[in-house]
Every structure is written in structure tokens, then in C-alpha cells.
Amino acid sequence: MTEGDKYGVAVRALCEFTARQGDLDIRFTPSPTAQEGIAGHAVVTGRRGPNYRTEVSLSGDWGMLHVRGRADGYDPDQNLIEEIKTHRGKFANIPDNHRHLHWAQVRVYGHLLCRQLGLESVNLALVYYDIGTGLETVLRETRAALDLATLFEDLCARFASWAASEAAHRGSRDAALATLAFPHANFRPGQRELAENVYRANASGRCLLAQAPTGIGKTVGSLFPVLKALPQEKLDKVFFLAAKTPGRRLAIDAAASLGAGKGLPLRVLELTARDKACEHPDKACQGDACPLAKGFYDRLPAAREAAADVAVLDREALREVALAHDVCPYYLGSEMARWADMTVGDYNYYFDGGAMLYALAQNNGWRASVLVDEAHNMVSRARSMYSAELDRSNLRAARANAPMLVKKALERVGRAWLGVDKEAPAPYQVLPALPDKLLDALQNATSTVNDFLAEFPGPLDPELQRFHFDALGFIRLAESFGEHSLCDLTRAGVRDSVISIRNVVPAPFLAPRFAQAHSATLFSATLSPWHYFCDLLGMPQDTAWADVASPFTSSQLDVHIAGNISTRYQQRASSLGPIAGLIARQYAGQPGNYLAFFSSFDYLEQVLERLAQEHPEVPAWRQERRMSEAERAAFLERFTLESRGVGFAVLGGSFGEGIDLPGERLIGAFVATLGLPQVNPVNEQLRERMQAMFGAGYDYTYLYPGMQKVVQAAGRVIRTEQDRGVVWLIDDRFARSEVRALLPAWWSVD
């Protein structure tokens, strides 16, 4: 980040770059939640005197560097500056390398304060506040201003060469992007309209919902204008977020087509989940267990420098650099997120409760543009990010092999759980309030586990680890519980129950993330009605809406409604023969490759069996339950230019969106369902809450999510302006006006 002729760096970032040393060690995590940290800071500062100042803004220059930050507190009566850290468990369990970093931070603040106030010396304190006990452990020292100036200059000198190279990179990047040309001779129809809307959103600093048809090149059409806006709007970062691996691959390929890795000075990073990036899944992330954690911070500078020279750090390239320097690929990726221009990852990296990219943007003051691909998935994904559940059978499994100290804490959880069970005897029941006694017991149990890990480092029993993480997630969400969520209990047999915090409306959680971004563009082929997404996702009031005209025409796609068939559950048995007959007639009249979508595996299997019995001449294959990546690829490989047959799949599954079968590889689709979520007690609770909040309970819970799946599935048929195909919508309800209004405008339905 540049500030005029200076290179701006936060105190925390400066210290993390220069003062971390030794092993990677995450035993001190999970730390207190964000809400607990805020509350802990408030408790500590509330104990101070009347002249105590909090959040003291400090800054200073050294050479080309402009260093700025906020000290937690300053007491002028004692000439004391404090850095407050919250923690759980024994103070002695905090690793030395954490404290080394904390001392570096408070000493930099001390220097900046001495310079600002003209002090000859200052008192410094690290205050460690235990969330569980409310006790403070205070480490103090007194430092002369000259000593602190020397320490500050040393840190800055060690960072300066990197900052100079980063400033040079930023200059060359922005100069190149200012003259960046579109990678193809012409825009596809609709692609220019999308690009113009994305550029205007970034130029005005607004968010955008862009509905754009499948097949126009949305990835390049959205990325190109954002890169063009970077130098003009002085943006620091681009975050490209996608729900699935193929979408992330498309983003990396789009960046390559624009010149990344081919001379354009643009650093592109792909973030991968820790479980997929881990080289030693059987080892703990600490120096005495994993060889890639041992001395991690000592080897990080060389690995970081090598990684910065690789333009496109996808998963394979990042792993190669990391292993060449004997460091963990996952944590090298976390480090390089600070220095990449464009970061590609899953939604959770910016939108979930512990989102790394969101935290980095906040801490470093980045101006970032966020692109969200296939954004119709955001509502369901965001709900899952802010939901948590506890299963009593998992508690029992965790207790079975737990150490005695932990077992006692888990037994207390069990007793509290039994109390909740007795007060909620129904098979499914929304609890009137959060179960406070259970929360207290969970809090005690997780603290006990953390203390045990500090005393006896090493992998936890898998069942205990699973319940520990579930409990931590539940506790975190309990802090922010409100009308946006439900707390419910579902019985599973005589002995077991599941207690959930179930998010209904993610808007309160996501709104700060949209506000942090300079601009956020959400794009998909199915983003209507727009108010549904704005309401549930918490997008700003001035969010722009673009409905990009389709390049396709009704002459390309024959859309038929089979209005004489009902796919309702009650009529399902009587629908099997008619659906099988319809598929056979369409195939006989126009042999080729088709996809047939159903609401469930059971329904799929029943129709497939009837088709095989009555029309054995129709080749057919099916999506299996829990297919591996190789099995999914094999399913799609059956759709060739020469093949003929019908692939049976589940609506909303792996083959209902995000797959590309142009031309003769796919000439038609049958959609034998409206895709409506199942009517059950949970969804009925969602409907009631949606009705109360937005006055559209049925539409928001059932109709809109279902029809998005239908349109996505049907969108597999027409991928280019040369494609021709047919779609059969199988259910009499497709003829209703409110349902037809949700179909793409360019369709001509008969």
C-alpha cells in the first residue's frame, strides 16, 4: 500500500514481517473469539484511571516507510503505553514466539509515542487478560526513547528493501494495467455490457449484483474491468471468490489470458484449504511435531522472496516453492496473501467469521475489489458459515477416550445437555433461548482441552478433536445470536439429540464485509429477484443491479412444459411411467446427449428403473451417491460428440451447474421437479421467520431457491451462440404465472 511517495505499513504488519522467529506453533489457538476479545479489551481499559486513553493513533516515518497503527491504551499519569492481549487458560502456555512479537509491537508504539510527545523515556506493558478468570498478567519494562528509536530503525531497515521492491512492483503493475488490452479480438455479446457495469461499480465504489447469462465469458468479463480500475482507483487487491474448484481454476486461467505469468506484472495466488494443502496430516502444526513447522519463521524470508518471483502461485506452484524451502505450503500461502495482487479462493476466505482476507484488509487498510462468482450460492453458503450444531452422539464418542481431566469437563456438558433435553421433549423444537448452562459447560470443556494440549502437545483423539471444534464454533455463534438465527433441538432416537444454532438471514454478518470492500460484484446467471439477495446478504442500499441481455435467442432453445405430470411427492409413483415415456419419445425423435434432473436419488432411481424396463433402447447412466472427483469426471466424459444417451442427475448437485458441455455434447435437459426445498419442520421455521422479516416467507424459503436450481440446470444446454437444444420442464406448476416469471426472459415457453 502506497501513501503518496511513502510506502504505508501497519505496525502489526511491520512486526509480523520482521520480528517473528522460530517455529510455527498454533497450540495457542483457537484464541478467544472476536467478540470475547473486544469485551476483554473493554474490561481491562475500564479498570484504568479517568485520564486513560484508548485506541491511540500513532504514526511516523523512516526513509520511504510510513508506519501507522493504534496503541490499545496510554496512561499519561504513569507515562505507560499498553498492548492488551486476550487469552484462555494458563499464561505459561503462551509460546515465547508470540510474546516476542507482542513486545516488538508495543516497543514500536512506544517509539512513535516518544517521537510524537517528545518523551525521553516511556513505560511499556504487555497485558494478558484471561477471558475465563478475568485475571490480568502484566509484563512491564521502561525504555529510553533513544533505545526505542534504535529498535524501530532496525525493524524498518530490515523491511525497507522488501518495501522498495513492493513499491516498484506496484508502480510497474499499475502502469501495465493502465494500458491493459482485452485478450480477445472482440467482446462476446453481453460480455461488454457486463464489463462496463463492473467498471462503473468500481469507479463509483459501489456494490453490484450482475445477472448475466451462462456462456458469455463472465469470468474474463468481470476480471478485466476490475484490473483496469486498479490504477485509476488506487486499489490494492482483487479477491476473486468462487464456490467450487472449477470456478477458481477459471479465474486463474482468465488472469493468465490477460497476461499474468506472461509478462504482465500481476501476482496471482490460489488459496487452498488446510486439509488439502497439508503435507503431514498426521502431525500437529508445531515445531516439535512437523518438520515443515520447525524453524518455519526462520526459513520464511527466503521462501517468501522465491514465491514473490512466481507470477501465478496456484496450488501446485505454491507447494513446489514451499517444499523447496522446507516450509508448510498452507502457511506460506497465508503469508503470500499479503503480497499477491489477486487472490483466488473460496467464499469463506472473505465472508466467514474468521475470514483471513477480510481481516487482512481491515488490519492493513487495503482498498480491495471483491468478485463473487456463481453468487446464487451465497445465501446457502453464508447460512452454513454462520450455523453450528452439536450432536450428543459425538459428545459420547469424545468422552469415551478422553483423558480423565477432559472427561470430567465433558461429563458436565452431558449433564447440562440432559437438562435441555428434558425441557424440549418434542421430536423437533425451537428453543425459547440459548441454553446458558450448556454454554457454560461447553466453555469450561473447551478451556480444559486447550490447557491439556498445552501440557501434552500432540494430536487429539479424532472424536475429541471433532467435538472440541464443534463446541468452539457453537460458542462463537452464541455470542452474536439474534433474530437472524434459530436455536433448535432435533431428536435422533431415544438417547441422542442435535442442538443447532441455525442461521436464517446472514445479512448482519456479511454487511460489514461489503462495507469494507471498495466494491463487491456478485455475478451469476440466476440472481433474480434482486431484492431476495440484497435482503438476505445485507448488501448496501445503493447496490447497483444489472440484468445483462442474453446473446441467445428463443430460436436456439425449445422450452416445453409437461403440464399433465405432477412431480409432487404424493403423485410421484404415478409420474414414473409418463416421465420415462416422455424421455423415450424425445430421444427417439432427436437422438443425442441429454441430462435428466430429479429432486432426489430415490426419485432418479425409480424413473431410471422404469425407463430401463419399458424403453431399453434408450442408453442411460446415472449420478451415484457420494461420487469421487474421478467418478464425476468419468460421468461427464460419457458426453462426447459421437455419444448418445441420457445422464440421470440430482438437481442442485454436481452436474446441475458449473459444467460445460457445448454443441453436440449436450442437446437437451429434462427437469422433473421445481427444485423446492423439502417441507419439514426446519424449513417451516425458516418460512415463518422470512414471513415476519420480509413478508415473503414461501417465496424466500421455497420458490426462489428452487427455481434458481431449475434455471441453472437448464442453462447447461445452451453454452454458445451456435448451440441448439430442448428443455422439458416436467410439472404442472411450471405453467403458473409466478413460476414462469422466474424463467429467463429470452426463453419462449410453450
Side-chain angles (χ1 to χ4, degrees), residues 1-55:
M1 179 179 172
T2 57
E3 303 181 12
D5 295 330
K6 297 287 186 180
Y7 184 95
V9 60
V11 169
R12 179 172 175 175
L14 173 68
C15 294
E16 286 178 339
F17 188 94
T18 56
R20 291 184 299 185
Q21 62 186 31
D23 298 347
L24 177 68
D25 191 334
I26 65 166
R27 280 176 292 186
F28 188 44
T29 59
S31 57
T33 65
Q35 291 295 326
E36 288 176 327
I38 293 169
H41 275 67
V43 169
V44 172
T45 57
R47 294 170 174 174
R48 302 304 187 249
N51 295 325
Y52 191 84
R53 295 163 52 198
T54 62
E55 296 292 312

Side-chain angles (χ1 to χ4, degrees), residues 118-151:
L119 303 175
E120 293 185 0
S121 66
V122 65
N123 298 311
L124 308 175
L126 290 180
V127 180
Y128 291 95
Y129 176 75
D130 188 333
I131 291 292
T133 65
L135 297 177
E136 297 178 29
T137 301
V138 182
L139 308 180
R140 297 184 61 156
E141 68 176 21
T142 300
R143 287 276 185 156
L146 289 176
D147 291 341
L148 292 174
T150 300
L151 291 168

